[in-house]
Amino acid sequence: MIIYSGSTTDIQHYQGLGISGSVVMTLLEPYLRKGHVLYVDNWYSSPTLFQHLLSLGTGACGTVRANRKAMPKFTCKMKKGEVEFRENGSQLAVKWHDKRDVHVLTTVHPTGMAATRKLDHITGQPKMKPVCVLEYNKKMGAVDKADMMTGFLECARKSTKWYKKVFFHLLDTVVLNSQIVYRQLTGKETTSMQFRMNLMRGLLEEYSTSRCPSKGGRPALDTPLRLTARHFPSEVPQTTSQGRRTRRHCKVCLSSTRKSKQRCLTKYMCVQCNTPLCAAPCFEEYHTLKHY
């Protein structure tokens, strides 16, 4: 990746390709002349860039803005399902009207339509789309799916520091990739939540160290084992009456001496201590502070 930082962004500028084309060429430099096919969105696509890539043995396909320089002219108004093709021998430009006009540019796909897996609810026939549109949706859809999968449990929080958001986005991506590799190697299907819980347990077992008991002060009111043994968060066992909504009062929130006491329900607990605790920050405070 290249993180944009204004005019000082470290990219190699290519004459005639502009900023967007120069970003593509800088990132692709190690992969040119190997027969790859690049899929991009309309901020990067242009006939000039695609022709340059083609001369370097690299195909390209992507949505494109209708007013891009060197783009052909199409029929102004089209009805739903209508399509128009324009080609010059090396590039194919397509205008297809679905819910709105869609412009696609490609150097690797033929003209023609292909059936999708969806049926037209009026005619009962398979819906048809241009071949290049189907391939574009298939390839770029992986980006959207990855964003969706990380979005449910993302680590990112609101912050004025942009580099924190980049770090947590990369962390989410690493966890998602590791889950995919785990599934491929073991054949086991696990939810994202369960995988993350297992990952945290594994990291704690491998790298956690016991804290040295602090000197001085009054003795703890409860067992000191909560400060030295290994502890892991688990869900509170379900009761017959509450089922999946089973909750218990957090011990730290109820008896804290560091903040005002409150009755807070939580679905997590420490099995080793048989103590209900909020996932954060109570679980950490209970097992690391002598006087929580």
Side-chain angles (χ1 to χ4, degrees), residues 76-125:
C76 293
K77 293 185 178 180
M78 300 174 67
K79 297 180 180 179
K80 185 174 182 178
E82 290 185 339
V83 63
E84 196 170 344
F85 299 96
R86 295 282 189 272
E87 57 181 332
N88 62 5
S90 59
Q91 298 187 54
L92 172 67
V94 181
K95 179 181 179 181
W96 175 59
H97 189 88
D98 186 24
K99 294 180 180 178
R100 58 182 178 81
D101 288 339
V102 178
H103 292 82
V104 178
L105 189 66
T106 178
T107 59
V108 293
H109 297 105
T111 59
M113 307 289 285
T116 67
R117 296 181 179 180
K118 298 181 180 179
L119 297 178
D120 190 307
H121 67 279
I122 297 177
T123 64
Q125 299 296 319

Side-chain angles (χ1 to χ4, degrees), residues 44-64:
Y44 301 96
S45 302
S46 71
T48 305
L49 172 64
F50 281 20
Q51 191 63 41
H52 186 65
L53 288 171
L54 190 62
S55 68
L56 297 174
T58 303
C61 175
T63 54
V64 62

Side-chain angles (χ1 to χ4, degrees), residues 21 53 60 73 88 100 114 177 188 232 267:
L53 288 171
K73 300 296 182 181
N88 62 5
R100 58 182 178 81
N177 289 343
K188 297 179 180 179
F232 306 102
K267 68 175 183 178

